Amino acid sequence: MKKNMKSALMKIAPLLALIILGMVLAFMLPGKFLRASNLMNILKQAGINCMISGGMLVVLITAGIDLSVGSNTVLGACFIGVLMQKFGITNPIVLMGAALLICTFMGFINGTLLTRLNLPHPFVSTLGMKNVLLGLALLITDSTPIGFMNKGVDSTLFLGSATIGDFPVSFIMVIIVYAIFHVFLTRTALGRQIYCVGGNAEAARLSGIKSKNVLTFVYSLSGFMCGLAAIILVGRVTTANATAGTTYDTDAIAACIIGGASFTGGKGTIWGTMMGAVLIATIRNGLNLFGTKNDIQYIVIGAVIILAVTIDVVRNQMEAKARRLAAK
C-alpha cells in the first residue's frame, strides 16, 4: 500500500510542482501572471519544447541521450526558409514535409552512428552531430536569419502562430501528438520494447528484441519530433535563425527528467514530460514578468536543470536501496 502511494505521488509530482509554482507566481505577480493572455503565452512558449521533449523522452527511456535536438530543430526551420527564399517554394505541404524529412533523416543518422559503428555512448555521436547540424544550418543560410514575410507561406506558419479563440493551435497539436505517443508507448509492442531496452538491455536481448533496430527507430523518432518543433518554431518567431536553438537541448532534457524520466533508462511518461516542459516555460515566463535580465535567466534555468538531475540521482539511489532491502 505504501509503495503504491509513493508511486502515485511520484507520477503526479510534476503536476504538483507546476501548481505550486503557479500559485507562487500568482501571489507575487498579482494582475499579471493569471491573465488569460499570459497563460496562453506560456502554452505558446511550451509548444516547441514539448515537441522536442517528446522525442527526447523515448531516447532517455532507452538510457540514451540526444544532444543534437536543438541544432536539428533549427536546421529544419532553416531548411524551410531556404526553400522559400532561394527556390521560391511556398507550398506548405512541401515546406513542412521537407522539414520533417530532413530532421528525421538526421535522427536516423544519429541512430545509425550509434548502432552500426558501435560508438561507446550516444553522448559522443549526438554531440558531434550537434555541431555538424549547426554548421549545416549556418552554411545553407549564409549565417543570415531568414524572415517569413511572403504571404504565400501563411499556411506554413499556421501551426506556430494561429489560435482558436485565444488557445494556441500549436498546443492543440502538442496534445494530439502526446495522446498518440501515450498510446504508442503503453499499448504497442514496440513501445514496450523501448522500455525493455532501456530497463534491462540483457533481458531485451534474451527475449529476442532487436535492440539496434529499436534504437535506430528511437533516434529517428526524435528527429521527426524536431521536425514538428521546427514547423512550430517558424510560425512562432516568423524567422529562421541558425543560432536560435542554444537552449533547446538542455530544456528538453530538463523537461523529461522533471517529468519522471531517468538517465538510467526504462522509465518516464509522456504526460509527465508535458508537465515538465510547461513548468520550464512557466519559470521563463515568470522571470520575464519580473523583468529579469537574460544572464540571470540563464543562471536560474541552469540551476533548475542541476536540481532536476540531482532529483534523478537521489531517486535512483532511493529505488536501488529499496530493491536491496526487499531482496533481504
Side-chain angles (χ1 to χ4, degrees):
M1 183 68 175
K2 185 177 180 181
K3 183 178 180 180
N4 291 336
M5 289 180 62
K6 182 179 178 181
S7 177
L9 183 61
M10 291 296 291
K11 289 181 179 180
I12 65 172
L15 178 59
L16 290 176
L18 180 60
I19 292 173
I20 293 171
L21 176 62
M23 292 172 63
V24 171
L25 291 176
F27 175 76
M28 298 181 70
L29 296 163
K32 292 183 178 181
F33 179 76
L34 288 181
R35 286 184 304 174
S37 59
N38 185 60
L39 296 179
M40 292 304 101
N41 188 46
I42 291 174
L43 296 184
K44 288 179 183 178
Q45 293 174 355
I48 297 170
N49 192 20
C50 278
M51 287 303 186
I52 299 174
S53 299
M56 182 68 76
L57 173 65
V58 292
V59 171
L60 286 172
I61 290 174
T62 63
I65 196 167
D66 188 351
L67 298 177
S68 69
V69 290
S71 296
N72 202 5
T73 298
V74 169
L75 177 63
C78 290
F79 205 67
I80 292 175
V82 169
L83 290 178
M84 180 269 294
Q85 184 184 68
K86 295 185 178 180
F87 296 92
I89 298 173
T90 58
N91 186 306
I93 296 177
V94 174
L95 292 174
M96 290 188 286
L100 292 173
L101 184 62
I102 189 69
C103 290
T104 303
F105 179 67
M106 294 305 172
F108 173 78
I109 292 177
N110 271 332
T112 301
L113 289 173
L114 175 65
T115 59
R116 308 305 170 187
L117 297 184
N118 297 316
L119 295 179
H121 194 276
F123 181 93
V124 177
S125 56
T126 60
L127 180 60
M129 281 296 291
K130 172 187 175 73
N131 291 281
V132 170
L133 298 181
L134 175 59
L136 285 174
L138 290 168
L139 180 65
I140 65 175
T141 60
D142 297 324
S143 302
T144 304
I146 298 174
F148 292 88
M149 303 305 293
N150 190 325
K151 292 295 183 181
V153 298
D154 283 353
S155 297
T156 306
L157 308 181
F158 176 82
L159 289 175
S161 62
T163 59
I164 296 178
D166 291 326
F167 201 89
V169 170
S170 58
F171 206 80
I172 293 175
M173 183 180 175
V174 167
I175 293 172
I176 293 171
V177 171
Y178 269 44
I180 295 171
F181 252 76
H182 174 74
V183 173
F184 167 68
L185 288 173
T186 61
R187 297 288 187 269
T188 67
L190 180 55
R192 289 189 288 270
Q193 287 176 4
I194 291 172
Y195 278 101
C196 188
V197 168
N200 192 324
E202 181 62 17
R205 185 186 68 81
L206 294 175
S207 63
I209 295 175
K210 297 180 179 179
S211 298
K212 289 186 176 182
N213 292 345
V214 172
L215 290 174
T216 302
F217 170 80
V218 160
Y219 283 89
S220 299
L221 181 58
S222 178
F224 177 81
M225 294 298 287
C226 289
L228 291 178
I231 294 169
I232 294 177
L233 175 62
V234 296
R236 173 85 175 123
V237 301
T238 65
T239 303
N241 188 343
T243 60
T246 54
T247 64
Y248 291 166
D249 313 329
T250 51
D251 281 3
I253 294 170
C256 294
I257 299 301
I258 291 170
S262 172
F263 288 113
T264 58
K267 64 181 70 172
T269 66
I270 196 68
W271 300 118
T273 298
M274 176 187 284
M275 292 300 103
V278 175
L279 182 69
I280 291 174
T282 302
I283 293 173
R284 289 190 183 280
N285 178 263
L287 292 172
N288 287 329
L289 291 178
F290 279 119
T292 309
K293 295 180 180 179
N294 282 339
D295 48 3
I296 302 299
Q297 291 193 27
Y298 277 113
I299 293 172
V300 173
I301 296 299
V304 170
I305 293 170
I306 293 172
L307 177 61
V309 174
T310 302
I311 291 172
D312 178 46
V313 171
V314 173
R315 183 171 56 207
N316 289 330
Q317 290 175 345
M318 292 174 63
E319 290 177 354
K321 182 178 180 180
R323 286 193 296 268
R324 288 195 299 268
L325 292 174
K328 289 182 179 180

